[in-house]
Amino acid sequence: MIDNNYSIELIDITIAKNNNIILDNISFKVPEGITTIIVGHLGSGKSTLLKTISSIIVPNSGKVLINEKPYTSMSAAAIKAYRKSCGFVFQDSALWANKTIYQNLELPLLYHFPDIKKENIDNKIKKTLDLLGYEGNINRRPSDISAGNRKLISFARALITDPDILMIDSPETSIDFSSHGKIRNIIRDLKARGKTLIICTYDEYITSMLADHVVVLFKNKIYASGSYKEIVTSNDPVIRRIMSHVLDKVSNFDGDILNLINPNS
Amino acid sequence: MIERIGANIRGKFVEFGYATGFFLSLIKGSFFFFRQKHVGLKVLMMQILFTGFEALSIIILLGLALGVVIIVQGLAILPQFGQGDLIYTILDVVITRELGPLLTAFVIIARSATAISTELGNMVASQEIEAYVSVGIDPIDYLAVPRFLGVIISIVLLNLYFNIAGLIGSFFVAQFIQTVTIAEYFRNLLVFSQPASIVISFIKSFVFGIIISFSATYNGFKVEGSTTEIPQVVIKAVGQGLALCIIASAIITALSYLWF
């Protein structure tokens, strides 16, 4: 189970860019220790919501509370401790282009553990890459590897400090079929270890098999938020349309829906 | 119309506030930079290597060329007025006080300010800055402060090399026109030049370093997400850097005559 609890709560968050509202007055408390899936149509603000939850984006109005304290009023030390416990996987990987793969993974360790020895860094990087099944050259730059491998390295960078909270933006983007399976398994393992996972995804497997809680975004607002069972059994036409990819899988599933929701039960 | 003018003025105030906040963050970050084991130390070294070391050859060449121009023109004109010794004062004023720091600043703007604002702009557009935030690294501390310090350290050193090259270059060219021993040349330089020139030259290069690195990093971070914004911010960084350096040079020169 997680050893360092962080409660994250959004209060009346509004984000606009060039007079376009991206998130409209959103309030939401992230459930701790479970997997929350954010779903919605293209352009509904899923990635922006995820970045706001992680406080990468500062909202135009409203507050992000970390352990009931506004993020913007936290001390540098408190922010550093929070960031160490909070990993983020970007949709487009967002690796540091001027650094090698090794340096991309080394930097968070050097920052959070200033006295760490080189052999410990090497071990940590090797262990994390082994977990993801990355076998490429770690001395190459991101531009020299495939988009799928960049995504894996982005996962590795988010996992390298062993965070308690992991936010993943579209884990299915840019990766091949075998990497897809590895990432699904890693997410399943993280869930089993009681990590707080917040994922924006269209992946019906991740949603149907791993979601505990689902947030439905519609027209830049939270349209519905509830347990996976509540959302997937809802008769609301908007929810059914947004969740159609998952509902198709559920309807094609030959067995008890509760087994699908919680395959280990 | 009035509403648009009002919004524009309000926008300028907001931007001034951001710029002031950014500058204060740079100062604060610089103050604490060497006090702790900092992951940005490597970035600082790389910045000094790029801005300070790799620009050395062009700076020395410029210094030598400027020294040659001054000595050739000076020795051709000044003796006609019986003021041949004024050449040393002119060397001191032009190379050490005025053009040394300014030309060094121009080279740094052309090489480093453009590179810094382009690199940071690209990092914003490709979400690399957000990635730094996501792992807990403050982009100002890690990316802007080492560049800020690196440019300042480099420009002060390059200005020194520019002065040495300019004064030594003058000596060698002087040999072709009028035989002067090295001892006599430097004795004359010491006699006719003012110690204040060295102080003013140092102050100017230090202030130029602050201006150039601030405008380059600030404009680089101003990119909002599109790569088409990058050339625009680079142009702004260069324009602001040039204009502010020339204005600062004029102010420091004017103040120097009041104080020294």
Side-chain angles (χ1 to χ4, degrees), chain A residues 17 51 56 83 86 88 90 92 94-99 103 107-108 110-112 114-115 157, chain B residues 37 39 42-43 119 123 126-138 142 147 224-225:
Chain A
K17 197 173 180 184
K51 286 178 183 175
I56 291 175
R83 287 291 175 203
C86 183
F88 195 100
F90 288 81
D92 298 321
L95 296 179
W96 299 309
N98 62 348
K99 296 185 190 301
Q103 289 167 337
L107 186 60
L110 287 175
Y111 182 73
H112 289 295
D115 298 320
R157 183 177 63 188
Chain B
K37 195 173 177 182
V39 287
K42 195 176 169 191
V43 182
E119 188 186 14
M123 290 174 106
S126 61
Q127 296 183 317
E128 289 182 44
I129 300 292
E130 290 183 354
Y132 280 113
V133 176
S134 78
V135 298
I137 295 174
D138 183 339
Y142 181 68
R147 283 165 174 79
E224 286 188 5

Side-chain angles (χ1 to χ4, degrees), chain B residues 102-178:
Chain B
L102 212 51
L103 286 180
T104 310
F106 288 175
V107 171
I108 301 290
I109 289 170
R111 291 186 84 255
S112 302
T114 51
I116 289 170
S117 47
T118 305
E119 188 186 14
L120 292 180
N122 264 314
M123 290 174 106
V124 176
S126 61
Q127 296 183 317
E128 289 182 44
I129 300 292
E130 290 183 354
Y132 280 113
V133 176
S134 78
V135 298
I137 295 174
D138 183 339
I140 294 179
D141 272 354
Y142 181 68
L143 298 171
V145 169
R147 283 165 174 79
F148 182 72
L149 292 172
V151 168
I152 293 171
I153 293 168
S154 300
I155 199 169
V156 168
L157 291 174
L158 285 176
N159 181 40
L160 181 69
Y161 297 136
F162 186 99
N163 279 285
I164 292 169
L167 299 176
I168 289 175
S170 323
F171 168 75
F172 285 113
V173 175
Q175 299 302 302
F176 293 107
I177 301 168
Q178 178 186 333

Side-chain angles (χ1 to χ4, degrees), chain B residues 241-253:
Chain B
L242 287 173
L244 290 174
C245 282
I246 292 169
I247 292 167
S249 179
I251 292 170
I252 295 168
T253 298

